[in-house]
Each structure stands twice: as C-alpha cells, then as structure tokens.
Amino acid sequence: MRQIEIHCPHGDAFENVISAVKSAKPVDYWVLFPERQDRRIVNVFLRDGSSQSLVDAVQQCLEAETKWRIVVIPIEATVPPLEGADKDKKRDNEIALREELLTDVARGAALDLNFIAMVVLSTIVAAIGLNSDGVAAVIGAMVIAPLLGPILGFAMGSALGRRSLLATSAKTLAAGVTIALGISLIISFILPINLESRELMSRAEVRLDGVALALAAGGAAAL
C-alpha cells in the first residue's frame, strides 16, 4: 500500500490530475487547500498495483507546469485494516516504483568517503586472501566490495536514459577500480607473491563456467 501526495498548481493541470487519480481507482483520495490559493495538494491512497501508472500519468499532466512535486509514502498498516491488506502488502513488496528504485540505486552509486573506505578495505582483504589461498577471505572481500552499486547505477542510467546517473556511476566505478589497482600494486611490493596459491592462479584462467557464473551473479544482483 502507498500514499501518493501530489503538489500541483490550481487550474487545468489540477483537473487533469484529478481525472488521472479517478482513473487509477484508488481506495480513497482527498484534496487539501493550502494558504496559497493557487496551489492544491491531492492525497491518494492506493492498495493495488496501479501506483506506477498513476505516477506516470500525473507526470504527464504536470510536465508543462512548474513548482510541482510527487511524494510517494509507503504505508505499513492502517487501522482498521483493509480487507485483503495482507495480499496487497505481499504484492507491493514485489513491485517497487521506478522512482523508488532510482533513488535507492543512485544512493549506492554515489562516490563518498564510505565508498572509498570500503574499496580500500575489500581490496586489502581480497589481496591477502588470494595470496594466502584463503577461500573465506576472498568470499568476504566479495561481500564487502561496494563496486556493485555503481555497476547497477550505470545499468539503470542506461535503461532510463538518465545521463546524470550514468556520469555519476561511471565516475564512481572508475574511482573504485583505480583505487583497487593502486592498493593492489602497493601490496605487491609488501607481500611476496605466492604462485602456489590456487585461489590466485585460478583467477588467471578464463573458462566458460566462469562466464556463466558471472551472468548468473549479475542477474541475481539486479533482482
């Protein structure tokens, strides 16, 4: 279940928004009249899978306007509970709005101190694990490595045509790879390379099962 709050100017755009809201067949909706007479706030309460279609329709209604905003508010519960709310909650958990996904992915693709610290730490763990033939250390490095964030951001930016997300993700990914290579180079001068490490030497082999593994892992990450 979601509550969608629409801030829009009063006039023809407002009438179009109301028509879009009615077409979405919401559980309920109401209109608020703020102090500014030229503004309207529409609150829509939805419990079905029509949230994305309503958000898209409202954006089309308001694309020629200025100073409008759509706020999506997830609803955990209502009192008294709605009939069939458990079923609706399960469906809503499986279907996220495009805007919600975009916000989450953009947050993970940002280049900040936390990202840099995690890259440094995961590179150290991975380098030591590979050189010492430590399977657990290698797996741990994969878990804490943050490079998946900008990779997903780059993929989603390409799918939605968001150039800003593409640029941010590319910059973050390039910085992460550069930092990882630099830390690895420094470690190579400190630790003697163990050519008998199976974990290290197996990374130099390229086989079809490795390609299949990468595709399966990428699909799971996207989901």
Side-chain angles (χ1 to χ4, degrees), residues 17-137:
V17 168
I18 293 297
S19 298
V21 169
K22 292 180 179 179
S23 299
K25 297 180 180 180
V27 174
D28 195 8
Y29 77 93
W30 56 93
V31 179
L32 301 178
F33 299 86
E35 293 183 0
R36 292 182 56 182
Q37 299 299 320
D38 61 336
R39 308 290 294 173
R40 293 294 183 269
I41 299 176
V42 184
N43 282 313
V44 188
F45 185 37
L46 295 170
R47 67 172 182 179
D48 53 22
S50 59
S51 299
Q52 185 66 68
S53 60
L54 176 59
V55 171
D56 292 341
V58 171
Q59 290 185 75
Q60 291 179 359
C61 294
L62 300 175
E63 60 183 357
E65 302 292 334
T66 59
K67 297 182 180 180
W68 59 271
R69 185 169 300 279
I70 301 173
V71 181
V72 179
I73 306 171
I75 298 176
E76 295 294 334
T78 62
V79 179
L82 293 173
E83 182 179 355
D86 293 339
K87 184 184 299 184
D88 292 329
K89 184 176 181 180
K90 181 179 180 181
R91 180 166 61 246
D92 284 345
N93 287 337
E94 295 173 351
I95 303 175
L97 290 179
R98 181 173 59 250
E99 287 74 15
E100 293 174 329
L101 290 175
L102 183 62
T103 300
D104 292 338
V105 171
R107 186 182 299 114
L111 178 60
D112 52 21
L113 291 178
N114 289 334
F115 177 86
I116 295 174
M118 293 300 288
V119 170
V120 172
L121 295 175
S122 61
T123 302
I124 294 174
V125 174
I128 296 176
L130 288 172
N131 198 57
S132 62
D133 200 17
V135 179

Side-chain angles (χ1 to χ4, degrees), residues 144-222:
I144 64 177
L147 292 180
L148 182 60
I151 292 174
L152 290 178
F154 194 89
M156 192 166 189
S158 301
L160 298 180
R162 298 295 183 99
R163 295 184 178 180
S164 59
L165 182 58
L166 273 172
T168 301
S169 302
K171 180 179 67 174
T172 304
L173 185 60
V177 172
T178 302
I179 293 172
L181 290 175
I183 296 297
S184 301
L185 182 62
I186 294 174
I187 293 176
S188 68
F189 290 105
I190 300 174
L191 294 178
I193 298 178
N194 180 16
L195 297 180
E196 296 181 358
S197 171
R198 184 175 179 179
E199 287 292 321
L200 179 61
M201 300 309 298
S202 64
R203 296 309 190 278
E205 301 176 4
V206 180
R207 300 181 302 184
L208 291 179
D209 59 348
V211 176
L213 177 62
L215 292 175

